[in-house]
Amino acid sequence: MDHTRHTAHHPTDRTGARPPVRMFCLPYAGGSARMYADWERHLPPFVEVVPVEPPGRGSRLRETPHTRLEPLVDDLLPRLLAAGDAPYALFGYSLGALVAFELARVLERRHHRPPVHLFVGAFRAPHLPGPAVPDHDLPEPQFRERLRAFNGTPEDVLADASLMELLLPILRADLAVAGTYRHRPDRPLTCPITAFAGSDDTEVPVASVGQWRRHTHAGFTLKVLEGDHFFLHRQERALLEELSTAVSV
């Protein structure tokens, strides 16, 4: 399913080649930037993939994860600003979509550096309310059941006490970022938004992803891929093909 208004056109440089575009990629709750390690070889040669690692995992394992969105955005912002004035795009999946959106707003409003494109996946439009009972506040047994329902944590990990002891605080912190978020209305972004939804995602219905269109004055595209909340894994190649098409326009 594809709902498109219009898309932006990117200039070429004087040789006729496409100028490089950095694509900053943000992971889902509990995830690491390592999930994007091999994306660059599946995207056009002018795209440089820059995985962005939040604290508490991967190369930043010893750091304390944030539990609120504003400090997390402030933490990640210097990494993006270090790119200078080069064209850039943002991709965020699930919680990463919300973080990418707020980074885009700060970069456009405060630093006058809008992205050329915002890609979001598996997260409701930011102005929509979250669940009545935030996941991060659930007691331990119910919290583990919610993780199982999300279908993003393998059963062997859920059954491994030592792994879960490491993972649970990171997941609770990440889900607290989403659970405590309060949208502040502002003018829409000036860049196009492409939003990806899972056809069978019971956590984030397609209709709630479609409402991202409210947050851009430029083109909006809704892409529905087969799968549940973590359709990213089974549909990675299809998603990368969609990203390649969008950045090549």
Side-chain angles (χ1 to χ4, degrees), residues 52-66 72 75-76:
V52 180
E53 192 78 274
R57 71 220 73 200
S59 60
R60 305 185 66 184
L61 184 62
R62 296 185 182 275
E63 299 178 48
T64 303
H66 294 288
L72 177 56
D75 179 300
L76 300 178

Side-chain angles (χ1 to χ4, degrees), residues 36-220:
Y36 300 116
D38 68 339
W39 272 29
E40 191 168 305
R41 63 194 182 95
H42 299 293
L43 291 168
F46 62 86
V47 177
E48 176 193 354
V49 172
V50 184
V52 180
E53 192 78 274
R57 71 220 73 200
S59 60
R60 305 185 66 184
L61 184 62
R62 296 185 182 275
E63 299 178 48
T64 303
H66 294 288
T67 59
R68 297 295 183 270
L69 188 111
E70 285 189 7
L72 177 56
V73 167
D74 289 343
D75 179 300
L76 300 178
L77 191 61
R79 176 80 189 276
L80 277 66
L81 288 172
D85 293 329
Y88 73 96
L90 289 163
F91 176 90
Y93 196 85
S94 196
L95 172 65
L98 181 63
V99 180
F101 169 68
E102 288 294 341
L103 280 166
R105 293 220 291 184
V106 169
L107 284 159
E108 178 167 329
R109 312 284 187 261
R110 197 184 304 166
H111 299 279
H112 310 291
R113 290 203 54 234
V116 296
H117 210 117
L118 172 63
F119 298 97
V120 293
F123 201 85
R124 65 186 181 275
H127 64 281
L128 298 177
V133 180
D135 294 323
H136 69 280
D137 276 342
L138 291 172
E140 194 84 355
Q142 290 96 315
F143 188 70
R144 287 173 181 260
E145 283 307 308
R146 283 294 289 137
L147 296 182
R148 185 171 277 108
F150 274 126
N151 203 27
T153 308
E155 281 294 330
D156 56 343
V157 174
L158 287 166
D160 188 317
S162 58
L163 268 179
M164 290 304 291
E165 188 177 351
L166 291 172
L167 190 58
L168 281 173
I170 299 167
L171 281 163
R172 278 198 187 271
D174 284 0
L175 291 172
V177 170
T180 59
Y181 174 75
R182 297 295 177 267
H183 178 66
R184 292 194 301 269
D186 201 346
R187 63 188 183 277
L189 295 168
T190 59
C191 70
I193 294 177
T194 298
F196 297 93
S199 59
D200 303 314
D201 187 348
T202 56
E203 301 293 335
V204 184
V206 171
S208 70
V209 180
Q211 291 200 47
W212 277 92
R213 70 174 62 246
R214 179 185 296 194
H215 297 280
T216 175
H217 276 316
F220 175 79

